[in-house]
């Protein structure tokens, strides 16, 4: 399946690699989450460039398809997210930009979950213990699926480069990718993208 060519495309510069340097320095120390993830140097990831892609409704592809389990063993599928807008965030605990964006995702969940938007994390590396420690630290209110084998990510390769973590997909109520952010999310930008799909669903 080819990636659709969007008629509305906005490319924004979020946190550049240079801009992340202070964060990497701050987050690569000997803290408990880094030790648990076995990634104390904080460099074992490829950060996105902060670019944002928005796709017009008439040019979106097929609904996303995947099957996975939450860390408690509960099943989740792409089909189970349909019927309301959704957000998929690809992350893991020792990823410094994932830490940067975590408070923004929490704030957006607080705003949009009452409007019916479903938030789901996709953890691409961690054990349950490490993932849950991250979630406690940042008070993440929504669940994540375990994807250490990369099965969910593999199904998303039309939309997400396999090693670009964090990445975030905004799905419309039909389960189609309406927007994508590569790199740490900027709260106001992601708020606008979510507002678009919420307004579409309400129309």
């Amino acid at each position: 399946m080819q990636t659709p060519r969007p008629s509305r495309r906005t490319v924004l510069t979020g946190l550049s690699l240079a801009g992340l340097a202070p964060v990497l320095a701050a987050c690569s120390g000997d803290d408990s989450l880094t030790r648990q993830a076995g990634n104390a140097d904080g460099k074992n990831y490829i950060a996105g460039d902060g670019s944002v892609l928005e796709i017009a409704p008439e040019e979106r592809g097929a609904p996303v398809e995947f099957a996975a389990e939450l860390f408690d063993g509960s099943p989740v599928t792409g089909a189970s997210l349909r019927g309301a807008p959704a957000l998929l965030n690809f992350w893991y605990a020792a990823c410094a930009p994932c830490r940067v964006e975590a408070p923004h995702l929490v704030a957006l969940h607080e705003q949009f979950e009452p409007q019916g938007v479903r938030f789901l994390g996709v953890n691409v590396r961690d054990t349950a213990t490490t993932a849950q420690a991250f979630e406690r630290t940042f008070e993440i209110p929504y669940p994540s699926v375990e994807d250490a084998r990369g099965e969910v990510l593999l199904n998303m390769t039309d939309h997400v480069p396999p090693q670009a973590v964090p990445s975030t997909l905004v799905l419309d109520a039909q389960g189609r990718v309406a927007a994508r952010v590569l790199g740490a999310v900027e709260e106001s930008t992601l708020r606008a993208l979510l507002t678009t799909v919420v307004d579409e669903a309400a129309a």
Side-chain angles (χ1 to χ4, degrees):
M1 182 179 71
Q2 294 183 339
T3 303
R5 294 183 179 179
S7 60
R8 297 173 61 200
R9 184 175 184 140
T10 306
V11 179
L12 304 174
T13 301
L15 289 172
S16 66
L17 290 176
L20 281 174
V23 177
L24 289 170
C27 292
S28 62
D30 191 26
D31 64 90
S32 61
L33 287 175
T34 298
R35 289 197 306 272
Q36 289 180 56
N39 186 26
D41 62 6
K43 297 177 182 177
N44 193 15
Y45 67 91
I46 297 176
D49 59 5
S51 64
V52 177
L53 174 68
E54 187 172 18
I55 305 171
E58 65 274 13
E59 297 188 352
R60 295 171 192 165
V64 300
E65 298 285 357
F66 67 88
E69 291 185 353
L70 302 180
F71 280 102
D72 66 5
S74 302
V76 180
T77 65
S80 71
L81 297 178
R82 294 172 202 161
L87 178 147
L88 298 179
N89 176 253
F90 295 82
W91 69 281
Y92 65 92
C95 157
C98 300
R99 299 170 182 222
V100 171
E101 71 177 6
H104 303 305
L105 291 167
V106 170
L108 290 166
H109 178 271
E110 182 177 349
Q111 177 181 351
F112 285 97
E113 192 272 340
Q115 300 179 53
V117 179
R118 303 168 183 176
F119 282 58
L120 182 68
V122 180
N123 186 286
V124 300
R125 180 171 298 186
D126 299 322
T127 64
T129 299
T130 301
Q132 289 163 2
F134 181 99
E135 292 168 347
R136 287 193 301 272
T137 297
F138 291 99
E139 299 182 341
I140 305 297
Y142 53 86
S144 285
V145 299
E146 185 277 322
D147 194 42
R149 294 186 298 275
E151 294 172 356
V152 176
L153 195 56
L154 182 63
N155 286 342
M156 303 292 177
T157 52
D158 284 342
H159 309 290
V160 178
Q163 293 179 313
V165 178
S167 292
T168 301
L169 298 178
V170 175
L171 309 181
D172 64 17
Q174 299 176 50
R176 305 175 302 171
V177 175
R180 179 192 70 191
V181 181
L182 298 181
V185 299
E186 202 283 322
E187 188 172 329
S188 62
T189 299
L190 190 52
R191 179 178 293 109
L193 298 174
L194 288 167
T195 297
T196 295
V197 292
V198 167
D199 289 347
E200 289 174 6

